[in-house]
Amino acid sequence: MLDHAISGGTVVDGSSPSRGRRADVGIKDGRIVAVAEPGQLDEQAAQTIDATDLVVAPGFVDPHTHYDAQLYWDPLATPSSWHGVTSVIGGNCGFTLAPLRERDADYTRRMMAQVEGMPLVALEQGLPWKWETFGEYLAGLDGSLALNAGFMVGHCALRRYVLGEDFGRESTTAELQQIIGLLRESLAAGGLGLSTTRSTTHVDGDGEPVPSRHASENELLALCEVVAEFEGTSLEAIVQGCLSRFSDEEIELLARMSGAAHRPLNWNVLTIAADDPGKIEHQLRASTRANELGGRVVALTMPTFADNNMSFLTFCALWLLPGWRDVLAVDVPEKIRRLQDPAVRAEMMEKAESSPLRRLADFANYLIGDVYSEANEPYRNRKVGDIAAERGEDPFATIVDIVVNDDLKTILWPIPAADGDADWELRRRVWDHDDVLLGGSDAGAHLDRMLGSAYPTRFIADCLRGRQLVPLERAVHLMTDVPARLFGLRDRGRLAPGYRADVVLFDPATVDATPARIAFDLPGESKRLLADPLGVVRVLVNGRETIVEGRSTGALPGTVLRSGRDTAGTETSTAR
Ligand SMILES: [Zn+2]
C-alpha cells in the first residue's frame, strides 16, 4: 500500500535533458517508489492527490540561506517553503550559531544582527542559546523541521570560540590546532563544510572586522585540508571581489582553498550586466584556476531580482559605501543636519564613485515607497529622478528633502539596473556555464531590507509567462538536481524511484510570487519583508505534506542534513 499517489499531473522530474510528461507518482515510507504511466501504479494508495492541470516537480534546493536562527522559531523557514523550497543550506558566509561558549552569545547575536540584518530582539527571544557544540546545535533542530536543512560550519564561530575576545589577530600554532580540532568535531557531527568571509563589508556589532577576517591564509588552507577528511562536504567563501572583481590574490586563494579541500567552493553573488561582459569572464577565472589545482569554484547567481529597500533611518547597504557609515551612524537630528549640508553630500558622492556599489548612490533611480508625513503623500510610488527634474534639483538633494519630512523613516526602493533584453540574454548564457549555480537568495537574512527567497516561483513564472529565457524543465533542473548534486544531497533533487519524496505541485497558469509586503511577525514583533506564493498547491517533504493550498499542515518531516549520512560525493570532479 502506497502512502500517496499523485495522479494526473505533468511530471517534470528535475533531470536534464528531460521533457515534462503525464505520469503518476507513487510514494511510500518517505520515498518515491514509482513513476508510472497515468493510471498504471501497481499499488493502491492510502491517499490520492489529484494533480490534474498541475506540474509535479522535485522541491527546490536553496543553496545560500541564513536560516540558522529562524528555524528555531519557524520550522517552515518561511517564506522559502511557501515557494516550494524543500531543502536549504545555511551557515553561510562564515556565520553560524555554533560552536558557541555561553560568554559569546551576546557577541554572536549582535554580530548576526549587524552582518545578516536579523533583528536583535528576534535573536534574543526566538532561540534558547543552550547549545555549545555544533552537534548540540543540530540536535536542537532534529524533529522540529518542516523542510530539510543543512549547515556549513562558520569560521567566525570557530575563531571566537578558541580566541575569545582576543580574535583580532592571527592564531598561534597551538590555537590553530584547537581551531582545527573544533572544525573536525563539527564536521563529524554533520556540518556540511566550512564557510568563511574576508570581505571588508563584514563588521561585527562593535563595528570591528568579524573574526574570520583576521585569519591568515595558512589558517584557511589548514582548515580546508580538514574538510577533505569528511565525505559529502564543501566550502563557501566571501571575499571583497565577489561584489566587483576578484583581485589576482583572491582568485588564487579561492582556487587553492578548493584544491586543498578537494571539494567544490561556492561564492556569491555573481551580478550580470550587459555593459560589463568582461566581468563575467574575469570572475570565472577563479573557476578555471581551481580546475588547474584539482578544485572547483562555483559562482552563485540569481535568476530574478531580489526586492531590496533602503532607508536613511537605520542600517542598510548605503552604509557600505566608502565613508558613508561615518555620516550615517549617528542620531537622527545630527544625521539630518549632515545630510542637509551640500558640502557633506558632495563629499559622499565623490567617495561613492570609487566603490563597486556606486549604483546605490544613483538616487535618480529610486522609487519612493511608504511615506509617513502629509507632505510626502504626493511622492508615494514616484521616481526620485522625475521629482528632482521638476524641482530643478539634484536627486540626492531631493531624496534628502523627502526623507527629512518623515524623520528619515521613508522606505526607498532602488530600481534594478541591468534590466534590458541584452542583460537577460547574457544571464541566460551564463547560466549554461558548468561552474555557475542559480541561487544566492540570502533567505533568512537582511529581513527588513531584502527579499530574495521567492526566486523559485518568480523564476518559474518568468520562464512560463514572462521572458521565457529557458524551458520549464531546465528551470526546474537548475533549481533542484544541480544544487542537490553540488552539495551531494543523497537521493534528492529528482523525482525518480528511490529518491526522497520532496515534491512541489504548482499550477503553471498561475505560479508566481506577490510583490514584497512588510509583516511584523518575527519574535518581538519585529519587522520583515515577505512575498506570498501564487499557484503553489502542495509541498511534500520526505513523503509527507507540509503545505496544502498555502496552509501549513503542522507536519514536521524535515531532516537535519548531516554530512556523510545525508550527503556524499561532492568531489570536485563530479560532472554535472
Ligand atoms: Zn550570505
Side-chain angles (χ1 to χ4, degrees), residues 43-56:
E43 284 183 82
Q44 293 290 314
Q47 189 203 355
T48 297
I49 298 170
D50 179 9
T52 306
D53 298 332
L54 302 181
V55 170
V56 183

Side-chain angles (χ1 to χ4, degrees), residues 64 66 92-93 116 236 268 442:
H64 188 110
H66 293 275
N92 284 297
C93 305
E116 299 299 353
E236 189 263 356
N268 80 323
D442 254 353

Side-chain angles (χ1 to χ4, degrees), residues 70 73 119-127 520-527:
Q70 187 177 323
W73 70 77
L120 189 57
V121 58
L123 293 171
E124 285 170 350
Q125 296 181 9
L127 292 82
F520 293 85
D521 66 346
L522 297 176
E525 291 173 18
S526 41
K527 174 171 97 169

Side-chain angles (χ1 to χ4, degrees), residues 128-141:
W129 298 96
K130 287 255 157 45
W131 56 83
E132 177 167 353
T133 66
F134 201 80
E136 286 166 2
Y137 165 81
L138 294 181
L141 292 169

Side-chain angles (χ1 to χ4, degrees), residues 387-426:
I387 305 168
E390 282 166 19
R391 296 181 175 190
E393 277 177 354
D394 83 83
F396 197 1
T398 300
I399 205 168
V400 165
D401 204 49
I402 291 170
V403 301
V404 167
N405 289 336
D406 285 337
D407 294 323
L408 307 185
K409 290 198 289 271
T410 328
I411 305 290
L412 306 164
W413 297 92
I415 298 167
D419 194 19
D421 290 347
D423 300 300
W424 286 102
E425 173 55 24
L426 179 59

